[in-house]
Amino acid sequence: MTAVASALPRSGPVIASDVTLGFGGQAIRFEMRQPGARLVVRSPHTNFILPSDADARCVVRCEFGQPVPGDAPIRFDAGSIWDIRTSVSGGDEVCFHTATAAGGREPFAILTLDDDLRGGRLVRTPSPSDDGGMTVGFPLDEYLAARLLARSGGLVLHASCLLEDGEALLFMGHSGAGKSTMAELAEGRGADVLSDDRTILTVRKDGRVVAWGTPWHGSYTRGSARSAPVAAIFLLVQDARDAIVPLPGARAFGELLVRLVRPTVDRRELELTIGTAERVAASVRCAELRFRPTPAAYDMARSYARA
């Protein structure tokens, strides 16, 4: 039986020596290996904690230390966020960076992964915000979850996800498109916000596309582990008037593709992600939502999804 993360908000941080989080059906277990040290999970990540006996797809052994990149050449560089090398064991070594006062970057964590992504080791520098514990969260968990989802037929989309009458409405767009704004407007209309910035999509055996909330939020801090079948996906376009323009399949696929938090370091994962995006575009009603930031725009989208 698949373990399900809590759908109810937790009042405060969870501090433990190990914790398992679930993202779109993928369970990742974090274990602190240093005596006396603890892991800290804060809201909204606390909503994604699984039972202690959940079967983890990947186990990450965590410790504080000085992250020193290996000597292998960089295979892929994601700019200021992270880069990746081949580790001495033949797996992946992912170095996460933080900005310096001089405008450069320096390592703050190194995640070394087995080739099958079933195990890994995380070495991270202590931070004043840790309060003696290592915070589990973004961007490390999103990076790992995106790769695990790709291998299992899922993907992460830059989109807010709203739950209405048991079905999900997605509003996708790049930063500043209005995803958090739409989440706030929808919540004011009685919808439940599963995510305001990133949404996981998976495809069931019967072909139905399912949306899952995530803790990787934007300015409207929300994150629920619940899931629901997708009724419609909207591309947000700010305009002087409200209008809905259906998207043909080819364009819908293209718009989905450029808004994926997609794995780019493994060809197998990339090909599987593209295949999943194709199935989503072929199975779900997609439309461009031209809108003003008013509740009327969400009402229009909701009516379109229900038609």
Side-chain angles (χ1 to χ4, degrees):
M1 182 175 67
T2 302
V4 178
S6 171
L8 299 176
R10 298 174 186 248
S11 58
V14 172
I15 303 173
S17 59
D18 55 74
V19 64
T20 304
L21 302 180
F23 307 110
Q26 300 297 310
I28 305 172
R29 186 173 183 83
F30 297 87
E31 299 178 348
M32 175 55 76
R33 292 301 179 92
Q34 288 177 320
R38 292 292 184 267
L39 299 170
V40 180
V41 184
R42 295 184 170 86
S43 178
H45 278 76
T46 47
N47 299 334
F48 296 78
I49 296 177
L50 298 177
S52 58
D53 60 352
D55 185 20
R57 169 66 176 81
C58 178
V59 178
V60 180
R61 305 176 304 278
C62 306
E63 61 186 83
F64 285 116
Q66 182 61 43
V68 179
D71 296 329
I74 294 175
R75 289 176 16 225
F76 183 87
D77 193 335
S80 61
I81 305 174
W82 54 268
D83 57 45
I84 188 167
R85 297 170 172 82
T86 300
S87 69
V88 293
S89 62
D92 291 335
E93 178 190 281
V94 190
C95 181
F96 295 88
H97 302 279
T98 186
T100 66
R105 67 180 192 178
E106 62 184 14
F108 80 88
I110 287 182
L111 177 63
T112 306
L113 296 168
D114 301 337
D115 185 60
D116 60 4
L117 301 187
R118 292 198 170 274
R121 175 174 177 255
L122 175 66
V123 178
R124 213 205 73 183
T125 56
S127 167
S129 63
D130 289 328
D131 294 327
M134 181 184 292
T135 300
V136 177
F138 183 85
L140 287 81
D141 59 338
E142 185 195 51
Y143 172 88
L144 188 50
R147 296 194 61 183
L148 292 173
L149 285 160
R151 295 190 178 200
S152 63
L155 54 82
V156 184
L157 182 68
H158 283 284
S160 55
C161 180
L162 296 314
L163 184 62
E164 279 271 2
D165 298 327
E167 291 189 308
L169 279 67
L170 271 64
F171 297 86
M172 65 178 177
H174 292 309
S175 178
K179 299 186 296 295
S180 294
T181 297
M182 191 57 63
E184 184 175 6
L185 293 171
E187 192 171 52
R189 280 295 201 247
D192 292 327
V193 181
L194 302 192
S195 176
D196 78 323
D197 192 65
R198 288 167 169 83
T199 299
I200 291 170
L201 294 180
T202 59
V203 183
R204 298 191 314 209
K205 291 183 178 180
D206 63 2
R208 191 75 191 269
V209 178
V210 176
W212 305 68
T214 77
W216 310 309
H217 58 80
S219 59
Y220 196 61
T221 309
R222 295 292 187 275
S224 169
R226 286 180 292 173
S227 63
V230 179
I233 299 176
F234 299 94
L235 171 65
L236 292 174
V237 179
Q238 297 184 33
D239 204 337
R241 62 184 181 87
D242 298 332
I244 289 179
V245 181
L247 295 177
R251 187 182 167 202
F253 168 70
E255 298 292 355
L256 285 167
L257 197 62
V258 298
R259 288 168 181 83
L260 297 180
V261 181
R262 60 186 183 273
T264 53
V265 299
D266 185 289
R267 182 168 181 171
R268 296 167 298 169
E269 295 168 15
L270 183 57
E271 290 174 347
L272 287 168
T273 300
I274 292 173
T276 301
E278 289 177 335
R279 290 193 292 275
V280 171
S283 304
V284 178
R285 298 175 70 190
C286 297
E288 184 180 272
L289 175 62
R290 300 173 183 170
F291 76 105
R292 297 164 296 166
T294 69
Y298 178 72
D299 293 342
M300 177 181 290
R302 180 172 54 185
S303 297
Y304 177 84
R306 289 173 173 173

